[in-house]
Amino acid sequence: MALYIKGGRVIDPANGINKIADIKIEEGLIAAIGDFAGAITEADEVIDATGKLVTPGLIDIHCHLREPGLEAKETIATGTRAAARGGFTAVCAMPNTKPVCDSQTGVEFIYNRAQATGLVRVYPIGAITKGSDGQELAEMADMAACGAVAFSDDGRPVPRSDIMRLGLQYAQMVDKVIISHCEDPELAKDGVMHEGYWSTVLGLRGIPAAAEAIMVARDILLAESAGAKLHIAHVSTARSVELIRQAQWRGVNVTGEVCPHHLALTDAAVEGFHTATKVNPPLRSDKDIEALRSALNDGTLTILATDHAPHTAEEKACEYNYAPFGISGLETAWPLFWRELVEAGVMTLPSFVAALTVAPAKRLGLPGGTLSVGAAADVTVIDPEHTETVTLENWQSKGKNTPFVGQILRSWPVTTIVGGRVVMRDRQVIG
């Protein structure tokens, strides 16, 4: 029995495909792309994709699945269900779990749990330093050997330049990317939102844009000297964009990613003191959003990621100053990005799809991101006309901390296929 996806607009930037076509899936692999009107039998399964987009499975290289140790916030099972509902067929799990994923044992645990309980593919990211405390390098070579796809201390920076330099050098030796959470800890200390007009009006301690840009500049210089691959997580400021752009002109191997909330919301959203708007880096200014859009338009920034950071309702139900940072983002990422980038005319449809498929796959050396014949059948089907109000009904993540509840968004993933297996159909997660 074969699975056919019929009549959709197939967009596969890796192969330059952008046309109406059918896709044939057999034994978990892409068997062919073409017109199979006369080849389908009663035994075959057919998904009607007429009027819909058919893309390689979406890949998120920045999410927090919280397991082990923080299962009240999220588990690999619930996080991958949220990913499937959001159209993602693969996610990269950040290491700030409890204990931190800083060893071969930690990496193997993530793979084993994902195989046992996950609905989509999960790739572990190992910590740069032991315990992510910034003082001593973790066993990076051992983690790389057993499948860590990158290294990061995300959730906090590596404050010591000598340690970051060593981390970049070791990553270069094992041909892995360092993903940097860029934040000067002293400048950002005790800050809860972007420093500017709104932090002054609301009486909240601000995090200056310079806190991010200073560390972006430092890490770019260190990566340049080490000849290493650097990826800047959750870029949020205009100055960071300019630093990355200048470094790329010099030939530095540096990339960056943008998250949906940093495009969809400004610091003005904090006015109601809704703790779902508390995120790190914080929501920034209109000027910063324009810089992010410009960078995505001109190719300075080529990757879109969610920074999915779920928390319990109890943790977020407190005063703004004391709430944890983070937004639960896997389930609303595509329609938010669509509104801010495609409908706004910032990115062409092929470049937009590339930023969620082949670009992240290539950057971290992941399988996937393509509909090439013989590739694993990881496929996402999107209905660009489907309109839905964001509610917590049928929300799959344990983390309900989203500031987008009540917003009416257009263009939603309607089918998610992982290795030929349908894990989400008609907006309902299966399994």
Side-chain angles (χ1 to χ4, degrees):
M1 185 182 74
L3 170 62
Y4 289 89
I5 304 172
K6 288 280 296 174
R9 180 180 175 185
V10 178
I11 302 176
D12 181 11
N15 290 306
I17 297 174
N18 184 358
K19 65 181 181 180
I20 304 297
D22 306 333
I23 296 179
K24 180 181 181 181
I25 296 172
E26 282 185 314
E27 298 181 353
L29 304 176
I30 303 293
I33 297 177
D35 182 355
F36 305 109
I40 300 173
T41 70
E42 290 185 1
D44 296 322
E45 181 180 359
V46 178
I47 295 173
D48 184 3
T50 304
K52 299 177 176 65
L53 309 177
V54 182
T55 74
L58 309 184
I59 298 171
D60 182 18
I61 63 169
H62 187 157
C63 77
H64 301 270
L65 297 182
R66 305 302 193 196
E67 189 177 0
L70 300 168
E71 288 87 353
K73 300 172 185 279
E74 192 78 285
T75 65
I76 289 172
T78 59
T80 56
R81 288 179 68 85
R85 187 167 183 254
F88 292 93
T89 59
V91 296
C92 296
M94 283 296 177
N96 57 337
T97 48
K98 191 175 183 180
V100 169
C101 182
D102 61 1
S103 67
Q104 179 177 340
T105 301
V107 172
E108 291 174 346
F109 174 86
I110 300 298
Y111 274 120
N112 291 337
R113 287 296 289 167
Q115 184 175 18
T117 68
L119 271 190
V120 307
R121 305 180 195 277
V122 178
Y123 299 108
I125 294 172
I128 301 171
T129 64
K130 291 183 178 180
S132 288
D133 65 4
Q135 299 303 309
E136 181 182 356
L137 284 188
E139 301 295 335
M140 296 172 68
D142 287 348
M143 287 190 283
C146 68
V149 297
F151 298 102
S152 180
D153 275 1
D154 187 61
R156 63 178 79 175
V158 178
R160 287 176 50 182
S161 297
D162 60 333
I163 296 296
M164 188 61 167
R165 180 169 180 253
L166 282 173
L168 285 159
Q169 291 171 336
Y170 270 84
Q172 191 271 338
M173 287 190 289
V174 296
D175 195 28
K176 297 295 180 185
V177 177
I178 289 285
I179 302 175
S180 180
H181 174 114
C182 288
E183 177 184 42
D184 184 300
E186 294 305 315
L187 278 178
K189 188 176 181 180
D190 297 327
V192 297
M193 68 172 294
H194 175 63
E195 182 181 271
Y197 171 81
W198 282 106
S199 64
T200 303
V201 169
L202 299 175
L204 295 174
R205 187 175 180 89
I207 300 173
E212 176 177 294
I214 286 170
M215 293 298 263
V216 170
R218 184 203 72 169
D219 289 351
I220 285 172
L221 291 172
L222 292 174
E224 187 172 19
S225 68
K229 294 185 284 189
L230 175 67
H231 179 75
I232 308 299
H234 40 51
V235 178
S236 72
T237 73
R239 188 67 180 121
S240 297
V241 166
E242 190 56 34
L243 288 165
I244 293 168
R245 184 178 285 120
Q246 291 171 357
Q248 290 172 345
W249 288 342
R250 298 199 307 272
V252 182
N253 194 339
V254 57
T255 54
E257 73 194 24
V258 182
C259 303
H261 44 272
H262 287 133
L263 294 168
L265 297 171
T266 69
D267 53 342
V270 181
E271 184 179 11
F273 297 97
H274 189 340
T275 58
T277 64
K278 186 177 179 182
V279 64
N280 192 21
L283 304 175
R284 301 287 189 182
S285 68
D286 288 309
K287 174 187 173 184
D288 294 308
I289 289 179
E290 283 307 308
L292 296 177
R293 290 173 181 242
S294 175
L296 288 164
N297 177 267
D298 69 20
T300 300
L301 300 177
T302 56
I303 295 173
L304 299 172
T306 72
D307 192 11
H308 173 73
H311 293 288
T312 66
E314 292 77 15
E315 288 173 307
K316 282 286 195 176
C318 62
E319 294 179 28
Y320 204 89
N321 281 328
Y322 303 112
F325 292 101
I327 290 174
S328 183
L330 280 167
E331 295 173 68
T332 53
W334 176 278
L336 286 170
F337 280 136
W338 179 273
R339 183 184 70 188
E340 302 300 328
L341 299 174
V342 178
E343 290 185 346
V346 175
M347 300 180 78
T348 65
L349 192 49
S351 64
F352 174 66
V353 172
L356 284 158
T357 57
V358 64
K362 280 188 174 181
R363 187 52 174 161
L364 296 194
L366 305 176
T370 174
L371 297 175
S372 298
V373 172
D378 293 357
V379 185
T380 304
V381 181
I382 299 104
D383 185 346
E385 299 303 323
H386 178 71
T387 299
E388 194 172 301
T389 301
V390 179
T391 71
L392 296 181
E393 183 181 353
N394 203 32
W395 195 261
Q396 298 297 305
S397 172
K398 283 190 172 186
K400 316 302 182 188
N401 47 303
T402 171
F404 300 107
V405 170
Q407 291 200 17
I408 301 172
L409 301 177
R410 191 165 69 94
S411 184
W412 290 83
V414 292
T415 303
T416 307
I417 301 170
V418 180
R421 175 192 173 197
V422 179
V423 296
M424 191 270 286
R425 187 197 298 266
D426 297 329
R427 303 285 300 132
Q428 301 298 313
V429 176
I430 302 170

